[in-house]
Amino acid sequence: MSESHHAVTPPPRPGKLRSFLDSDIVYSWKRQPVVILATLVTLVMFLGALFAPWIAPQNPFDPRQLDLIDAFTPPLTTSDFTGNFYLLGSDSQGRDVFSAILYGSRISLLVGFAAVLFALVLGTALGLMAGFRGGWRDALIMRIADVQLTFPSILMALLIFGVIRGFLPRSMHAEVAIIVLIVAIGLSDWVQYARAVRGATLVEKGKEYVQAARVIGLPARNILFQHILPNVMRPVLVIGTIGLALAIIAEATLSFLGVGMPATQPSLGTLIRVGQDYMFSGEWWILLFPGLALLMLALSVNLLGDWLRDVLNPKLR
Amino acid sequence: MLAFLIQRVLQAVFVMVVVALIAFSLFHYVGDPVLNMVGQEATEADRAALRARLGLDQPLPIQFFQFIANAAQFEFGISYRSARPVTDLIVERLPATLELAIISAIFAVVMGIVLGIYTALNRGNWLSNFIMTASLIGVSLPTFLIGVLLIYVFAVELGWLPAFGRGEVIDLGWWNTGLLTRSGLASLILPAITLGLFQLTLIMRLVRAEMLEVLRADYIKFARARGLSKRVVNLRHALKNTLIPVITIIGLQLGTIIAFAIITETVFQWPGVGALFITAVRFVDIPVMAAYLMMIALVFVVINLIVDLLYYAVDPRLRVQGGAK
């Protein structure tokens, strides 16, 4: 958002923590209440997902812990039958909605992170190769990227998901759903990384330190991974943060459409799909709370990504 | 000119061949189509006969060629799930999707331009601040969640509009339309808003940015100095010049609308092609999947080709560089 200029001269050699706290990133963070709020929401949801087994009142996927008699308990109600307290109500099988959300956001985040990582590694590798080697490899990779960019990535993910599923035997569908989902979303999203890395590699390749490394006779692999790679990672990390929000949304969308996570392993999207069935009969909490959780997660990660992009890369604004 | 044209057309053909290859290998590697078609009592000779009749005993390249020839004539075989020709399924569902897509596009364009002009001319007042913030939230919301929330508020809680389906449909013989009945129109409102919202925010932000840019230009100052009315300056002079990039975006977004129709149709149980495709993916109905794959690829390739050629027609710089971007 803005550059910080310190009037006071810094101490001779500040500690690492001190210099981090004085950095532009922290300065910009402290000045934007919306970003602080987004950070807090993201942190709470990450921690909630991480420690779900310890926070959640019950394991929603262990049938022994569910009490069918408690089905459709409204939010903030203590059951008359079992004495269990349901913060956000319970669903048709007496499953605590709050616990289901904690476990569901675990799967949503897992798929989101894994898909981003997959796309990031694939895109970075292809971008490095295209930029460094050039020639027919560059032409081929960038042509494929051009073609893929003409399709919206959610459609791409859906088509890839459908095609992979078509090739797998039917009995495997439920158990490998999560992997297929990660691969489909990752494959639909590598182009941006490849383009950014290729562009940055082309710039870095001509710089003096790379020429120096060449002159002293380092092998191409060392130059590529130890010298160029660290210098092209910045845009990649920015795209990755924004990509995380998109991947979470893509996963939720596919699961909502019934072609993502099965109901036995529900993500937030699956929970919303299931909840939609109860919307008309008055059990609004089964739909609304998972929906709000997804909304908060997507919105806050998105805001963080936008902010990070503005701070790290003022040129993109 | 010719080199550019040929390059673009070749790229389009290349995409279609790759997609056809994927669709073909789906057919070929997923189960034996002959086993799907003959009954349990069929003898080995029957199967061989059917295989020969379908051309499945031919070498792969010839089969692929046959597949493309069939696809060019819109022949995709029989749906595994409903046992009806895929082409019939798609043709009878196409009007629903197209009506939804066109109405949402009109909604997005009209509202987007109106709101974009309003927020540009009234920068900083509370209503335009509110619209801008709301659009930011709207962009980060997943489409399906918007649809579900709209159903909850307007169909379940308020009971104003239908929650699913297409309402009463009138059959015109070659086209069935929901635009001529009350219930058909009422059913269209929520899906059209859901589908058009993202494009609306996009167009609105673009129009606003372009307007702000244009309003600073000298000829606008001059028009004001000539004493022309505000209305004429804003709408005749300024708006006209913001529309060129807007039209490009609208063209490119047309494909996106068709793609996102998949989601909207599923949320609202809209009987369109997208919902058909989702069902096909869920039940691994290969012929329907392959047909949809080819159809959507064709739509995108054609749209992109047209946009590329329009750029070329509009932007003389491309001609000088011989089409190199």
Side-chain angles (χ1 to χ4, degrees):
Chain A
M1 181 97 199
S2 61
E3 299 295 311
S4 69
H5 292 291
H6 298 285
V8 283
T9 47
R13 181 146 177 76
K16 268 207 167 139
L17 181 69
R18 190 70 240 156
S19 68
F20 173 71
L21 289 178
D22 279 342
S23 68
D24 286 354
I25 295 183
V26 175
Y27 179 78
S28 148
W29 186 81
K30 281 194 279 194
R31 283 175 43 115
Q32 284 167 282
V34 179
V35 177
I36 297 178
L37 189 69
T39 316
L40 289 180
V41 172
T42 312
L43 259 173
V44 167
M45 298 207 60
F46 276 20
L47 292 178
L50 198 62
F51 296 110
W54 292 277
I55 300 171
Q58 59 168 224
N59 179 351
F61 309 115
D62 182 1
R64 282 168 301 172
Q65 295 190 25
L66 304 182
D67 287 302
L68 210 52
I69 200 168
D70 280 354
F72 301 126
T73 314
L76 290 174
T77 312
T78 307
S79 161
D80 295 336
F81 307 106
T82 57
N84 292 342
F85 176 71
Y86 292 97
L87 182 66
L88 302 180
S90 72
D91 72 359
S92 60
Q93 293 165 42
R95 183 180 288 146
D96 177 33
V97 172
F98 177 59
S99 308
I101 289 176
L102 285 175
Y103 276 82
S105 53
R106 238 180 169 198
I107 294 179
S108 292
L109 283 170
L110 176 70
V111 173
F113 271 112
V116 166
L117 195 68
F118 185 90
L120 192 151
V121 171
L122 182 70
T124 307
L126 290 176
L128 273 177
M129 186 156 86
F132 194 67
R133 288 294 197 76
W136 65 269
R137 292 183 186 85
D138 183 29
L140 181 71
I141 292 170
M142 286 302 122
R143 193 41 35 96
I144 295 175
D146 279 348
V147 169
Q148 195 173 330
L149 263 191
T150 58
F151 296 88
S153 69
I154 187 88
L155 179 69
M156 209 66 206
L158 190 60
L159 295 180
I160 297 172
F161 185 87
V163 170
I164 300 179
R165 227 160 101 115
F167 283 112
L168 289 173
R170 211 172 275 253
S171 55
M172 284 171 67
H173 283 174
E175 49 187 289
V176 297
I178 193 162
I179 297 169
V180 178
L181 208 50
I182 290 168
V183 172
I185 296 174
L187 276 181
S188 72
D189 207 31
W190 63 274
V191 176
Q192 290 201 43
Y193 301 94
R195 288 194 145 196
V197 169
R198 175 182 175 268
T201 306
L202 283 177
V203 173
E204 297 296 324
K205 203 168 77 168
K207 285 195 179 163
E208 279 178 350
Y209 72 93
V210 175
Q211 286 172 4
R214 275 209 178 118
V215 168
I216 59 173
L218 284 181
R221 181 185 298 172
N222 285 17
I223 299 178
L224 203 54
F225 289 108
Q226 289 175 5
H227 296 261
I228 295 183
L229 183 62
N231 286 305
V232 300
M233 280 314 276
R234 206 174 186 177
V236 168
L237 293 178
V238 173
I239 298 174
T241 323
I242 297 171
L244 179 63
L246 294 178
I248 290 171
I249 289 178
E251 186 280 328
T253 304
L254 291 187
S255 293
F256 174 81
L257 294 176
V259 294
M261 296 305 294
T264 48
Q265 260 181 301
S267 70
L268 288 177
T270 322
L271 290 176
I272 295 169
R273 173 164 63 94
V274 173
Q276 203 190 4
D277 297 341
Y278 300 103
M279 189 165 60
F280 300 101
S281 48
E283 287 90 18
W284 50 270
W285 57 90
I286 306 175
L287 167 81
L288 209 64
F289 292 123
L292 283 179
L294 177 66
L295 197 157
M296 275 166 28
L297 187 63
L299 198 61
S300 52
V301 175
N302 218 341
L303 280 169
L304 276 185
D306 277 354
W307 164 76
L308 206 64
R309 177 188 57 193
D310 293 348
V311 176
L312 291 182
N313 211 342
K315 268 180 288 179
L316 279 179
R317 292 198 75 199
Chain B
M1 169 76 196
L2 203 63
F4 176 78
L5 199 77
I6 291 174
Q7 191 203 346
R8 289 291 138 162
V9 172
L10 277 182
Q11 187 172 331
V13 171
F14 172 73
V15 175
M16 285 313 293
V17 169
V18 170
V19 172
L21 209 61
I22 294 173
F24 172 72
S25 45
L26 264 178
F27 264 112
H28 204 263
Y29 292 104
V30 184
D32 187 347
V34 173
L35 289 183
N36 279 317
M37 295 169 85
V38 298
Q40 294 216 318
E41 292 92 48
T43 62
E44 193 53 44
D46 289 342
R47 281 183 203 155
L50 182 60
R51 200 161 270 144
R53 196 158 64 83
L54 293 173
L56 292 178
D57 53 349
Q58 304 277 334
L60 271 186
I62 293 184
Q63 283 192 39
F64 180 55
F65 195 74
Q66 189 60 42
F67 174 79
I68 290 192
N70 284 342
Q73 298 165 44
F74 302 106
E75 284 286 342
F76 289 98
I78 311 283
S79 158
Y80 294 167
R81 206 169 114 77
S82 62
R84 294 183 49 208
V86 175
T87 318
D88 291 2
L89 285 175
I90 289 186
V91 165
E92 69 187 32
R93 280 163 164 262
L94 210 52
T97 296
L98 287 181
E99 271 179 13
L100 176 61
I102 290 167
I103 298 294
S104 347
I106 294 173
F107 162 73
V109 169
V110 172
M111 290 299 286
I113 290 179
V114 169
L115 291 179
I117 294 172
Y118 180 82
T119 47
L121 295 182
N122 302 283
R123 204 148 56 114
N125 84 1
W126 69 269
L127 186 58
S128 45
N129 281 348
F130 172 76
I131 295 173
M132 290 304 286
T133 315
S135 80
L136 205 66
I137 296 174
V139 168
S140 31
L141 273 186
T143 312
F144 75 90
L145 201 55
I146 295 175
V148 169
L149 292 178
L150 284 179
I151 293 179
Y152 182 68
V153 173
F154 292 100
V156 178
E157 284 298 313
L158 298 173
W160 290 351
L161 295 165
F164 56 83
R166 217 182 152 199
E168 215 175 309
V169 174
I170 292 180
D171 195 351
L172 301 177
W174 52 277
W175 187 272
N176 52 57
T177 179
L179 297 178
L180 298 175
T181 61
R182 235 184 117 80
S183 71
L185 284 174
S187 307
L188 195 56
I189 295 176
L190 291 183
I193 292 177
T194 308
L195 186 52
L197 207 60
F198 182 79
Q199 272 69 30
L200 188 160
T201 51
L202 204 71
I203 293 171
M204 180 190 105
R205 290 180 158 262
L206 192 70
V207 169
R208 177 177 178 272
E210 291 287 330
M211 275 292 268
L212 289 177
E213 180 111 11
V214 168
L215 284 176
R216 266 182 243 134
D218 283 343
Y219 68 87
I220 296 293
K221 283 184 197 147
F222 181 62
R224 286 208 185 108
R226 273 162 67 201
L228 296 179
S229 75
K230 247 186 178 166
R231 191 186 198 84
V232 172
V233 174
N234 289 338
L235 296 186
R236 188 85 42 86
H237 289 76
L239 181 62
K240 222 185 199 172
N241 284 288
T242 62
L243 285 185
I244 296 164
V246 174
I247 289 171
T248 333
I249 287 291
I250 293 170
L252 284 172
Q253 288 294 315
L254 217 61
T256 316
I257 287 190
I258 293 174
F260 277 90
I262 296 176
I263 300 166
T264 312
E265 283 175 11
T266 310
V267 175
F268 290 93
Q269 296 170 41
W270 190 262
V273 189
L276 180 76
F277 174 65
I278 286 293
T279 324
V281 172
R282 230 186 277 168
F283 294 96
V284 200
D285 191 344
I286 305 286
V288 177
M289 274 172 67
Y292 186 84
L293 210 67
M294 299 282 286
M295 192 184 86
I296 204 85
L298 188 68
V299 168
F300 271 90
V301 162
V302 168
I303 289 177
N304 277 289
L305 198 62
I306 293 174
V307 170
D308 272 348
L309 295 181
L310 278 183
Y311 271 151
Y312 189 83
V314 170
D315 193 342
R317 279 170 300 185
L318 279 175
R319 270 172 255 173
V320 179
Q321 291 163 10
K325 263 190 195 168

